Every structure is written in structure tokens, then in C-alpha cells.
Amino acid sequence: MRYLRVVEDQGRYVASLPETLPPTPTRGEVLIRVTASGVNRADLSQIAGRYPPPAGESEILGLEVSGTLDETGEPVCALLAGGGHAECVAAPVGQVFPAPAGLDLVTAAGIPEAFLTAFVNLIVEGGLEREAAVLVHAGASGVGLAAIQIAKLSGARVAATTRTADKRKAIEAMGADLAIDSARQDFAGEIERRWGRDAVDVVLDPVGASSLAGDLRVLKTGGRIVMLSTMSGSEAGLDLALLMRKRARIVGSTLRARSRLEKAAIVARFKEELLPRFTDGALRVVVDSVFPVARAAEAFQRMRENRNAGKILIAWRRD
């Protein structure tokens, strides 16, 4: 089978398609013939040597796919710890779920990483309740757009930020009540102006150091800040007195490093609670762009340059 090897050369990505033997599924795994794979910032970190796969997982890039089961031809999606950017992948059974009926299989590749990340961090870690107020940073990313939809489906009001003015339309199209250009506006001040002080129940934050103080400022007493990544840096000052006064919780969260057993439990709950909502139209995958595998380097470069609003997908075949 072919798989993607991507390296950086003088600030640009260069991709090749070497050949290797298809993976042999072990106990508790199934073989998937990949239709499409999703590009994620975790891929960029792995290329840079900062985010290796967990022990025992594939060294090949790629955290999510759509495709067909080798044995039955059933259309499926899968959440992975690695190996997705390839023609075939061995996926843990508990991390595989049916592709939604009526959704083309290439588009379905945009579900696993974005929607499961949003689900676990809003619902499981964030304890999101109906009529809550949610702040989603990097709102035009795949995870951000998924989080806005899930929060709105839960009855929440949503503020979302972006540092690119043109992306506000994508945020608003997903139902955000407040779309903030954080490159030109103080997001905390804007939320206070529109919603009042101490208004937010749950913050979903992949930005990190530069946004933490503002997150805490707008948080309600007893609110939660869920940190997903550290795009602006990993070391931040913190007003501990304010943290204690608000009885706030800061939760660190990753999905890739969780055990297969834990991921299987998350996927099972997602299948029951949210997967049917793709078929009835309440949830949808926002696709920024689809690249053929021969142009995969362009896909990675597009994400690096932060030009996408929604998911960037790589098509391996058309079913």
C-alpha cells in the first residue's frame, strides 16, 4: 500500500508516497480501505517532531479516516492514534463507527477527530448543560465549528473567536451568537459588553498562554476552562486569587493519548447521542477543501498557513 510521508524543507512541506505492506489487524482491530483522511494540526506537530504517536501505535501520520471495512465493504469512519494517511489502516474496533447515511464518504472523514474532540471536551470534560454559555476559541477550525454546533444543539449560547476577519462568516453560519475577531478586539471585553461580567460556563481553548487570563476573566463562578492545545505557548501567568474566588476549574485534555478502552467508551457514547444528528441534518461537516493524495503537501501547507475554515481532507479514492 501507499502512505504519506511528509517532511519540512525550508518552510514548505514536501510529500511523497512510499510503498509498504498493508497493516495486519491484531486482535480487536479491523482493516479499513481508506477513502479519505483528515488533516489536523497534530499532524504538523508530529512532522516537527513534537508530537510522536503513543507507544505501539503506527508512526504513519493521520488521526482520522473514512473508508470501507475490508471484510464487508461497510462504509465507516474511524478515530486513530496514527496511520490514517495511507491506503489501508488497522483500526481498533471500539474506535470505528458507521458513516452517516446520506453523507458522502469523503466528507465523512471530517467527523472523527473534530467532532469527538468537541464532544469529549464540551460534554464529558466541560460538563456542558442546557442554556449554558460557551466560549470557543479558534472557532473556524474543524474542532471549533464542530464545538459550536454541539453547543447550540445542547441549547447553549455561544461566543467564538477567530484571528481572521473573513472567517467570522463561517462561525456565524454554524449558529454562533457572538463572533469575535480576536486580532482586532479584546475577546473578554467584547463578551462583557454583550453578555455582562462573569458570563461564561465553559471555555474550549486550543490557544493557550495568550488567552488564559481572558478566559478566567469572563468565567462564571464554578465555570470550567478546558485546554486543548498551546498554539500561543504553554507557559502562562495565572491570577490564583481570581481562580479561587471563582472556584474555577482548569482542565487539561488530549484525545490521542487516551487508552483504547477510554476512546471506545467515548465513541460509544458519541454514536448514541450525536451520530444520528448527521443524518437528520442537525450536525454537518464543514469542508474547507479536498485535495487528491498527489497534492497532499498543499493540504498540509494550507493548514500551516491557517487559511482553512473547516476541515481539510485528502481523498485516496472515490467510492
Side-chain angles (χ1 to χ4, degrees):
M1 72 167 190
R2 298 178 304 163
Y3 70 96
L4 267 180
R5 178 185 291 154
V6 184
V7 297
E8 185 180 354
D9 182 17
Q10 297 181 354
R12 305 290 299 182
Y13 289 120
V14 178
S16 58
L17 287 166
E19 295 268 355
T20 190
L21 292 174
T24 300
T26 59
R27 185 176 180 182
E29 294 182 337
V30 291
L31 186 67
I32 297 173
R33 296 194 176 277
V34 175
T35 296
S37 53
V39 178
N40 293 282
R41 287 201 173 271
D43 295 329
L44 309 189
S45 295
Q46 184 171 335
I47 293 166
R50 297 192 301 267
Y51 195 38
E57 300 290 356
S58 174
E59 297 284 341
I60 295 173
L61 296 166
L63 303 182
E64 60 185 339
V65 299
S66 62
T68 54
L69 292 180
D70 182 58
E71 288 191 357
T72 66
E74 177 188 355
V76 295
C77 303
L79 176 73
L80 307 164
H85 293 311
E87 290 181 311
C88 297
V89 65
V93 171
Q95 294 165 219
V96 178
F97 55 90
L103 189 66
D104 75 87
L105 204 46
V106 171
T107 299
I111 294 176
E113 181 69 18
F115 281 89
L116 281 161
T117 296
F119 173 73
V120 72
N121 290 302
L122 279 177
I123 307 300
V124 180
E125 301 287 5
L128 182 64
E129 298 177 350
R130 293 196 65 81
E131 300 183 2
V134 175
L135 169 59
V136 178
H137 288 296
S141 67
V143 172
L145 294 173
I148 292 168
Q149 293 180 71
I150 291 171
K152 293 300 294 182
L153 195 60
S154 301
R157 60 175 174 170
V158 180
T161 69
T162 177
R163 294 188 61 79
T164 306
D166 291 346
K167 295 182 181 181
R168 290 180 61 185
K169 293 180 181 178
I171 291 171
E172 291 167 343
M174 289 300 99
D177 302 279
L178 182 56
I180 302 169
D181 178 358
S182 57
R184 295 170 176 81
Q185 298 170 291
D186 169 25
F187 76 84
E190 189 65 13
I191 289 172
E192 289 176 342
R193 187 178 72 82
R194 296 286 295 274
W195 289 358
R197 295 176 62 85
D198 305 335
V200 175
D201 295 278
V202 181
V203 180
L204 210 61
D205 190 345
V207 176
S210 67
S211 56
L212 180 58
D215 294 345
L216 186 57
R217 173 179 157 188
V218 300
L219 206 64
K220 284 183 180 179
T221 298
R224 286 82 69 199
I225 301 168
V226 185
M227 305 300 297
L228 309 183
S229 188
T230 55
M231 292 190 295
S232 69
S234 59
E235 296 185 10
L238 183 63
D239 185 340
L240 293 176
L242 182 59
L243 179 75
M244 292 184 292
R245 188 163 66 248
K246 290 195 172 186
R247 303 194 301 278
R249 284 174 285 169
I250 300 175
V251 181
S253 180
T254 61
L255 184 56
R256 188 184 196 185
R258 295 174 192 246
S259 70
R260 290 187 172 190
L261 188 62
E262 187 176 3
K263 289 177 187 174
I266 293 167
V267 170
R269 186 173 169 186
F270 175 81
K271 285 166 62 177
E272 180 180 349
E273 296 181 24
L274 287 187
L275 189 60
R277 307 315 303 270
F278 290 95
T279 300
D280 69 20
L283 295 175
R284 67 184 182 93
V285 181
V286 180
V287 176
D288 171 82
S289 48
V290 179
F291 289 85
V293 67
R295 293 172 53 203
E298 297 175 47
F300 287 87
Q301 196 69 32
R302 183 171 179 82
M303 174 156 283
R304 178 178 185 166
E305 294 171 0
N306 198 32
R307 291 188 284 129
N308 62 300
K311 292 296 298 186
I312 300 173
L313 305 175
I314 295 173
W316 290 84
R317 59 192 176 99
R318 296 283 180 174
D319 290 313

